[in-house]
Amino acid sequence: MKIALMDSGIGLLAATAAVRRLRPDAGLVLSLDPDGMPWGPRTPEDLTGRALAVAEAAAAYRPDALIVGCNTATVHALAALRARLEPGLPVIGTVPAIKPAAAGGGPLAIWATPATTGSPYQRDLIENFAGGVTVTEVPCWGLAEAVERADETAIDAAVAAAAELTPDDVTTVVLGCTHYELVAERIRAAVQRPGRPPLALHGSAGAVAAQALRRLGEQPDPGAPASGTLTVLLSGREGALPAAALTYAEGRLLRHAAAARTAQ
């Protein structure tokens, strides 16, 4: 089995690590776009074009499924990706975990990029899945970019600024950008209030990885041999994981997978 994941940068690491944990025998193809990142400020049409190019680069390696490891790309490009690649290649998008978070009763906060915060897309998810729950949308200025660079000072500043915008009574935080899952514990520490119940964090990586296996009719097998290969594509060119990736536990999990061209 071979699973591809795509994003402009290292936000795909959380879902990649989740796939690796569920199926250590699966080959992985990571398709990044350093030539075109960041995708967030691009127009929807431009972003869709970049996403299609990155997806087609991954598709050339004949994966069994493709995970769009980016909330922004899912919002703007998922329909185009599915129109281009399915049914031959199942495409799995990444959606903020608002539904399971709201099931806990709230109040909850959704940490997302400024472009996503207040967007019709996010508001629709709130309306459909969080009715009756108090929801605060928190724009996280610069956090995704700081995580991408592994800039510790900038990460701390962005997390602290978002925490200031998060009400004290929040019991649950939805991580509405895949980059944020890489610094989840730092977010927890910043938002957790003394004397309050433990804060619940909801990311998407585990659910996305499990959905990819379901689409393929496969079962999790964490005890399988760790034989899965790792191929990294940088705007279509074979390369290595960016150095910043190895500063995160999810990136280090992949470090020991031999970087090898997967048989086509």
Side-chain angles (χ1 to χ4, degrees):
M1 179 172 57
K2 189 188 306 179
I3 295 177
L5 300 97
M6 58 171 281
D7 189 5
S8 62
I10 62 174
L12 52 64
L13 285 178
T16 303
V19 172
R20 178 64 87 205
R21 293 186 184 102
L22 290 177
R23 288 298 298 260
D25 58 335
L28 299 175
V29 179
L30 308 189
S31 192
L32 289 70
D33 188 25
D35 293 354
M37 69 178 301
W39 283 351
R42 292 180 176 273
T43 66
E45 296 77 16
D46 192 16
L47 187 156
T48 297
R50 300 296 310 189
L52 285 168
V54 167
E56 288 178 338
Y61 286 74
R62 301 182 183 276
D64 300 298
L66 171 67
I67 292 173
V68 184
C70 172
N71 296 90
T72 302
T74 298
V75 171
H76 296 297
L78 184 61
L81 290 167
R82 285 178 167 164
R84 181 75 60 87
L85 299 172
E86 291 189 339
L89 177 60
V91 180
I92 297 92
T94 299
V95 177
I98 293 172
K99 183 177 181 179
L108 65 88
I110 304 170
W111 283 33
T113 63
T116 299
T117 300
S119 66
Y121 164 77
Q122 184 160 290
R123 290 286 168 84
D124 285 346
L125 290 175
I126 293 169
E127 182 177 340
N128 291 333
F129 299 120
V133 176
T134 301
V135 177
T136 301
E137 297 180 85
V138 178
C140 301
W141 296 93
L143 181 53
E145 294 81 358
V147 172
E148 181 69 32
R149 300 191 307 270
D151 183 332
E152 298 292 326
T153 301
I155 291 170
D156 286 344
V159 168
E164 284 294 320
L165 299 175
T166 304
D168 287 347
D169 63 348
V170 158
T171 60
T172 305
V173 172
V174 175
L175 303 177
C177 171
T178 54
H179 280 79
Y180 302 170
E181 297 191 50
L182 301 179
V183 292
E185 291 310 311
R186 293 164 77 162
I187 292 171
R188 185 193 304 277
V191 178
Q192 180 69 58
R193 310 302 186 198
R196 299 286 299 174
L199 185 74
L201 292 181
H202 286 266
S204 302
V208 167
Q211 175 65 6
L213 293 183
R214 282 194 293 270
R215 288 286 301 272
L216 296 176
E218 296 282 352
Q219 296 294 321
D221 187 4
S227 56
T229 57
L230 176 67
T231 300
V232 178
L233 303 175
L234 305 174
S235 298
R237 307 176 300 272
E238 287 197 24
L241 280 173
L246 301 180
T247 66
Y248 302 105
E250 292 85 349
R252 293 191 295 272
L253 179 66
L254 306 174
R255 177 170 51 189
H256 301 298
R261 182 182 178 93
T262 310
Q264 298 190 40

